[in-house]
């Protein structure tokens, strides 16, 4: 038999303990055997290894290689400014590595948050005496005393309880406080047993004694912690794409470098000249500015999302959210407000809202006893906070008191002289008060119980005997309320007169009416659910609450539209095979209710195996493992536990499900924006490579030096690229489905547009400007030029300047791969404008300042060279606009064909 299924005496005997607790000696012995009552951190990688990993991922290795090659080239041909390039690349590696490590370090502190939920001290019975000991010193068999406001320090079996209620929301997800007593339980599941107190939960009312049977990682709380630790880190889609991009860039750069090394050898160049030439090709093909641009773009997106109440903890998760195809959401505190509210009243054979009852004050006065009952029959405590009186205790009772004050329009205070406490067998609470008319017993509880103890009811302001018809009406009213997802309580009372105690006090009572309470949905949630449907995102409710409550809330918010949705309880989920679970997840409307932490992880795992991009919301300790396993975990910022926040990738600062939709919109924009600035950055690679091709194939002076390539990649291109990364979401962003999982960040379309179209046009402009300056200066074909010669410096300056002029036009063209630049306002993105201003300032400083000329090997250009570049810039604009127009026409023609095929004319 399990400990919750046996008697108190048998439970103590099974633990070799007694009501007097353990002896100090035995407690120490058990502490040595079972270990301290704390959560030991699972062994992970040491901090120094995590630090090193940030500098050794694939793209970092490419940059290390590029830097090494730059330093090697400098050693072979000193004075070529290759060492400057090497130091610049090292700077990129260091800045990105330190920034990423700091993000990772902050994200790995879930254990500290878990420890905060456990109490530091507890009242324990040792040798019959009660004393304070640290929670870490508890051992199995210890007897502890708990009262209202205490956190439960370990898994315990109750020995006795007096009106004890606990809030299990942080472990089980149940929104309502649960009554607990010491009687043996028939429940198979220990978590839901009425005589069990779980570590990490809170006592909200009453008091009791319990014997500890599990500590540390052996508790249910500890098992959740272990799941959180061992769930493993998620590799975000963007991280996979960056790795793929890194490999592509590395292979392309090395391939081209090798090809041009052999070309140089075939042309009769010396070995070292060919090798240095190959290094230049490799460096020209490595977009050194890509990694910092991606990192900074994501960081800026997190700032925008913070303004929309979504705090991002892991940068790569920004884009992952935009790719989400499924959101698994908790109910309590996520879809609902996590507070009880009286929603409906039933008396005088009619339903009223509390507001209607107040507006009909004569009716409220006729049923005064009912509202006095709601106002007085409770175990709440009053306290002063910030100069205001506040109630502490069961949220349901707080909601009833507020409702009663609303309906009565006043506060009634009669001294409480006795109480018959609530328990799960009685299913009712009674309090006795001294009123001006004498002692009155007020009772509230389950209707089926009170109907057995009421002989009369209040109807039309009078007290009448309860008939079978009246009983039937009350039962029907209860079923109506329950069908709306309300928790229903019945209220009754009686004058005690000469009755002084015993069972007789709770007989022959007068039934007053019913009150239905709910945890109301957030008002913004229905619209958020609608937007998720429009965006092709499936929303699945996963909650620890009762399935009827979950279904009712689901229908209220528009989450459930099917007449017969699939509802899977935790008990049923345990019986489903992996295949059955995946098939169940294919249903359009699915609800999971009464599920545990490991089951939530199983749901997430099944969805991921179905190739879904899964976002999971939650606020409790029980949500932490699933939050960590999901592609992106979303925790509640206000109601969420520290554990959930530390395990999540994103925290909703306002606990508003609607904020997720705004975050998804931003996440989708991030992916689109990364493609925009990839197109922008990669387009400049071609005009950086072509000069080396011309140098090797047609024997001309090198039109562009490596340090000038660096000026573009890590200088002029950076801020405009960031501006593209900060572009606002495009119109219709949320009206299309999530991007297919097979769609890559860099695909053939992007490469063709950037390399073979935009890049080719820019290369033509750069080389034309180079030759224009040379021929204008009197250069003859085949003539060699010294590196220090003014004409050569001016020609390379013209090549560099032409690339930058073309990139100024290109940044506006890259804002949309389909829409015309004239359909967007020039001032929509101020960062791009500032980037262009900075770009112009940088090229002017490089061209016209002594230090710019010295560092980058440039010389001032005349006006004719700049005027020569203008037609190429206009040509780039017109050709790209023409491409977009032709694409638009092609799409329109295809759409018309689809319509004709679907609706053929006779």
């Amino acid at each position: 038999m399990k400990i919750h299924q046996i008697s108190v005496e048998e439970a103590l005997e099974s633990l070799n303990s007694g009501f007097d607790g353990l002896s100090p000696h035995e407690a120490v012995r058990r502490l040595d055997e079972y270990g301290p009552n704390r959560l030991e951190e699972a062994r992970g990688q040491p901090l120094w290894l995590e630090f090193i990993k940030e500098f050794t991922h694939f793209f970092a290795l490419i940059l290390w290689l590029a830097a090494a090659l730059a330093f090697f080239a400098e050693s072979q041909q000193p004075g070529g400014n290759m060492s400057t390039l090497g130091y610049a690349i090292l700077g990129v590696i260091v800045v990105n590595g330190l920034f990423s490590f700091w993000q990772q370090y902050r994200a790995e502190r879930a254990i500290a948050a878990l420890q905060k939920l456990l109490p530091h001290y507890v009242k324990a019975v040792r040798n019959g005496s009660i004393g304070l000991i640290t929670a870490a010193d508890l051992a199995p068999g210890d007897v502890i005393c708990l009262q209202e406001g205490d956190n439960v320090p370990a898994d315990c079996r109750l020995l006795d309880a007096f009106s004890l209620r606990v809030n299990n929301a942080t472990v089980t997800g149940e929104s309502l406080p649960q009554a607990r007593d010491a009687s043996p339980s028939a429940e198979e599941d220990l978590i839901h047993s009425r005589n069990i107190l779980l570590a990490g939960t809170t006592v909200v009312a009453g008091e009791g004694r319990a014997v500890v049977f599990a500590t540390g990682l052996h508790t249910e709380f500890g098992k959740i912690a272990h799941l959180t630790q061992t769930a493993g880190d998620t590799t975000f889609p963007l991280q996979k794409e960056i790795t793929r991009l890194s490999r592509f860039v590395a292979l392309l750069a090395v391939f081209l470098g090798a090809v041009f090394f052999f070309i140089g050898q075939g042309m009769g160049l010396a070995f070292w000249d060919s090798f240095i030439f190959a290094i230049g090709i490799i460096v020209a093909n490595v977009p050194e500015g890509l990694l910092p641009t991606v990192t900074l773009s994501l960081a800026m997106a997190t700032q925008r999302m913070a303004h929309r109440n979504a705090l991002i903890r892991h940068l790569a998760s920004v884009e992952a959210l935009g790719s989400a195809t499924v959101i698994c959401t908790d109910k309590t505190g996520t879809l609902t407000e996590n507070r009880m509210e009286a929603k409906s009243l039933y008396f005088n054979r009619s339903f009223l809202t509390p507001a209607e009852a107040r507006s009909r004050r004569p009716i409220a006065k006729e049923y005064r006893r009912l509202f006095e009952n709601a106002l007085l029959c409770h175990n709440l405590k009053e306290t002063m906070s910030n100069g205001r009186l506040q109630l502490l205790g069961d949220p349901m009772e707080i909601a009833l008191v507020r409702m009663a004050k609303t309906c009565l329009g006043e506060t009634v205070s009669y001294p409480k002289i006795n109480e018959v406490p609530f328990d799960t067998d009685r299913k009712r609470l009674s309090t006795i008060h001294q009123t001006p008319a004498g002692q009155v017993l007020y009772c509230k509880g389950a209707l089926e119980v009170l109907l057995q103890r009421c002989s009369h009811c209040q109807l039309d302001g009078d007290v009448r005997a309860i008939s079978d018809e009246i009983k039937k009406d009350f039962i029907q009213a209860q079923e109506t309320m329950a069908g709306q997802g309300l928790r229903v309580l019945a209220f009754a009372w009686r004058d005690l007169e000469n009755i002084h105690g015993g069972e007789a006090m709770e007989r022959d009572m007068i039934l007053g009416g019913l009150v239905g309470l709910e945890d109301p949905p957030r008002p913004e949630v229905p619209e958020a659910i609608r937007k998720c449907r429009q965006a092709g995102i499936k929303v699945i409710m996963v909650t620890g609450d009762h399935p009827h409550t979950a279904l009712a809330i689901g229908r209220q918010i528009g989450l459930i539209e099917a007449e017969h949705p699939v509802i899977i309880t935790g008990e049923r989920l345990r019986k489903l095979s992996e295949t059955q679970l995946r098939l169940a997840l294919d249903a359009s409307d699915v609800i999971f209710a009464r599920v545990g932490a490991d089951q939530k992880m199983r749901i997430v795992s099944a969805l991921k195996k179905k190739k879904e991009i899964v976002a999971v919301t939650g606020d409790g300790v029980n949500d932490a493992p699933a939050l960590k396993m999901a592609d992106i975990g979303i925790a509640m910022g206000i109601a969420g536990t520290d554990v959930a926040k530390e395990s999540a990738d994103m925290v909703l600062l306002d606990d508003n499900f609607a904020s997720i939709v705004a975050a998804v919109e931003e996440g989708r924009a991030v992916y689109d924006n990364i493609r925009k600035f990839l197109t922008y950055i990669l387009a400049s690679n071609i005009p950086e490579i072509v000069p080396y091709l011309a140098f090797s194939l047609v024997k001309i002076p090198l039109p562009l030096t490596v340090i000038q390539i660096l000026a573009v990649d890590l200088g002029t291109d950076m801020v405009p690229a960031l501006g593209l990364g900060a572009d606002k979401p495009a119109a219709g962003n949320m009206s299309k489905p999530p991007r297919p999982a097979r769609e890559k960040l860099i695909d053939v379309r992007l490469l063709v547009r950037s390399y073979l179209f935009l890049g080719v046009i820019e290369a033509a402009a750069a080389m034309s400007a180079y030759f224009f300056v040379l021929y204008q200066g009197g250069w003859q074909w085949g003539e060699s030029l010294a590196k220090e010669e003014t004409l050569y410096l001016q020609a390379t300056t013209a090549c560099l300047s032409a690339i930058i002029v073309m990139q100024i036009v290109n940044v506006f063209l890259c804002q949309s791969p389909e829409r015309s630049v004239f359909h967007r306002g020039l001032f929509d993105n101020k960062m791009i404008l500032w980037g262009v201003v900075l770009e112009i300032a940088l090229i002017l400083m490089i061209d016209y300042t002594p230090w710019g000329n010295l560092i980058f090997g440039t010389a001032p250009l005349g006006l004719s060279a700049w005027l020569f570049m203008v037609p190429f810039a206009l040509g780039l604009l017109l050709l790209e606009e023409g491409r977009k127009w032709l694409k638009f026409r092609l799409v329109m023609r295809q759409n018309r064909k689809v319509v004709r095929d679907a609706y053929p004319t006779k």
Side-chain angles (χ1 to χ4, degrees), residues 638-887:
I638 299 173
T641 62
D642 287 343
V643 181
K645 295 173 189 175
E646 290 292 337
S647 300
D649 306 298
M650 185 177 94
V651 179
L652 294 183
L653 300 178
D654 58 355
D655 284 14
N656 193 335
F657 184 84
S659 296
I660 297 175
V661 179
V664 168
E665 187 176 14
E666 287 287 354
R668 290 187 171 190
V670 164
Y671 180 82
D672 293 338
N673 290 346
I674 290 176
R675 284 180 62 91
K676 291 176 188 177
F677 70 65
L678 278 175
T679 304
Y680 175 74
I681 289 173
L682 294 179
S684 65
N685 275 12
I686 298 301
E688 291 172 354
I689 295 171
V690 167
Y692 283 86
L693 293 176
F695 169 69
S696 60
L697 297 177
V698 295
K699 295 287 187 178
I700 61 171
L702 182 62
L704 192 70
T705 65
V706 173
I707 196 65
Q708 290 168 348
I709 293 174
L710 180 64
V712 176
D713 289 352
L714 290 179
T716 58
D717 271 2
M718 287 291 289
V719 178
L722 284 174
L724 289 172
D727 225 0
K728 65 182 182 180
N733 177 292
M734 291 296 289
S735 61
K736 58 184 179 181
R739 67 179 178 88
R742 64 180 180 275
E743 183 177 310
K744 303 302 181 184
L745 197 58
I746 287 189
D747 55 16
V748 173
R749 290 175 302 162
L750 187 148
L751 290 175
V752 168
R753 181 174 175 230
S754 56
Y755 279 167
L756 301 183
F757 185 69
L758 298 172
V760 168
I761 297 171
E762 289 192 15
M767 293 304 297
S768 297
Y770 174 74
F771 283 118
F772 173 78
V773 171
L774 284 181
Y775 282 119
Q776 195 180 45
W779 179 79
Q780 299 294 320
W781 190 271
E783 181 183 347
S784 61
L785 293 172
K787 290 182 179 179
E788 298 80 13
E789 196 168 335
T790 301
L791 180 60
Y792 174 71
L793 295 177
Q794 287 178 329
T796 59
T797 302
C799 183
L800 170 64
S801 301
I803 294 173
I804 293 172
V805 167
M806 301 299 281
Q807 284 290 80
I808 289 174
V809 176
N810 189 28
V811 71
F812 294 104
L813 300 177
C814 287
Q815 280 191 277
S816 173
E818 286 126 12
R819 294 182 65 199
S820 168
V821 70
F822 300 109
H823 289 168
R824 295 185 59 121
L826 275 178
F827 301 99
D828 281 354
N829 190 326
K830 293 183 179 179
M831 191 168 184
I832 287 181
L833 294 179
W834 282 111
V836 169
V837 170
L838 180 61
E839 203 166 15
I840 294 171
L842 283 174
I843 190 58
L844 291 178
M845 286 189 288
I846 289 171
D847 289 359
Y848 295 102
T849 63
W851 62 266
N853 296 159
L854 178 64
I855 294 174
F856 296 98
T858 56
L861 290 176
L863 179 61
S864 60
W866 293 104
L867 293 175
F868 180 82
M869 302 171 195
V870 172
F872 289 95
L874 292 175
L876 178 65
L877 174 65
L878 294 175
L879 288 171
E880 173 65 358
E881 286 296 300
R883 183 198 66 82
K884 291 178 181 179
W885 181 81
L886 287 174
K887 183 176 181 180

Side-chain angles (χ1 to χ4, degrees), residues 140-324:
D142 260 323
V143 175
I144 62 173
C145 300
L146 296 165
Q147 63 186 27
E148 181 181 323
D150 287 343
N151 288 339
V152 180
D155 285 355
C156 310
R157 164 66 157 86
L158 277 169
L159 303 178
D160 52 48
F162 305 93
S163 303
L164 190 70
R165 294 189 187 184
V166 293
N167 186 340
N168 286 339
T170 56
V171 176
T172 67
E174 295 168 303
S175 59
L176 296 174
Q178 305 295 310
R180 290 292 180 259
D181 61 50
S183 303
S185 172
E187 281 273 359
E188 185 64 27
D189 190 356
L190 177 142
I191 289 180
H192 297 292
S193 177
R194 66 187 182 185
N195 56 26
I196 296 298
L197 303 180
L198 300 173
T201 62
T202 306
V203 178
V204 296
E207 59 184 33
R209 284 187 302 168
V211 60
V212 173
F213 65 84
T215 59
L217 285 173
H218 301 290
T219 63
E220 295 299 320
F221 190 90
K223 291 173 185 176
I224 292 173
H226 182 69
L227 287 174
T228 304
Q229 295 168 345
T230 57
D233 294 326
T234 298
T235 302
F236 297 108
L238 182 61
Q239 292 172 319
K240 296 176 183 177
E241 282 296 291
I242 293 297
T243 300
R244 177 178 170 272
L245 172 61
S246 302
R247 290 171 180 162
F248 170 79
V249 168
L251 290 174
L252 178 64
V254 172
F255 172 75
L256 291 177
V259 167
F260 284 101
F261 171 79
F262 289 112
I263 288 176
Q265 288 288 282
M267 294 172 58
L269 293 177
F271 175 84
W272 286 116
D273 289 340
S274 299
F275 191 73
I276 298 302
F277 173 59
I279 291 175
I281 290 290
I282 291 173
V283 172
N285 274 278
V286 175
E288 294 87 358
L290 175 61
L291 196 57
T293 304
V294 170
T295 303
L296 291 173
S297 178
L298 291 175
M300 291 168 63
T302 66
Q303 294 299 315
R304 295 197 307 274
M305 294 171 82
H307 289 302
R308 304 181 79 170
N309 294 308
L311 178 64
I312 298 296
R313 300 182 64 250
H314 302 116
L315 289 181
S317 64
V318 175
E319 188 275 329
L321 183 62
S323 307

Side-chain angles (χ1 to χ4, degrees), residues 10-85:
E10 290 171 324
L12 287 169
E13 184 180 354
S14 69
L15 293 166
N16 291 326
S17 185
F19 286 100
D20 289 339
L22 302 174
S23 68
H25 175 76
E26 177 63 13
V28 170
R29 189 194 69 77
R30 294 190 184 191
L31 197 62
D32 288 339
E33 180 178 351
Y34 295 100
N37 179 37
R38 59 170 174 255
L39 303 180
E40 301 293 343
E41 188 171 357
R43 286 185 175 272
Q45 291 184 331
L47 200 61
W48 63 267
L49 188 56
E50 292 288 345
F51 182 78
I52 290 176
K53 282 174 62 178
E54 298 300 335
F55 298 90
T56 55
H57 55 79
F58 198 84
F59 197 84
L61 292 177
I62 294 174
L63 294 180
W64 281 114
L65 177 62
L69 292 175
F71 286 122
F72 179 78
E74 180 69 19
S75 68
Q76 297 301 311
Q77 291 186 355
N81 285 326
M82 294 294 285
S83 61
T84 305
L85 173 63

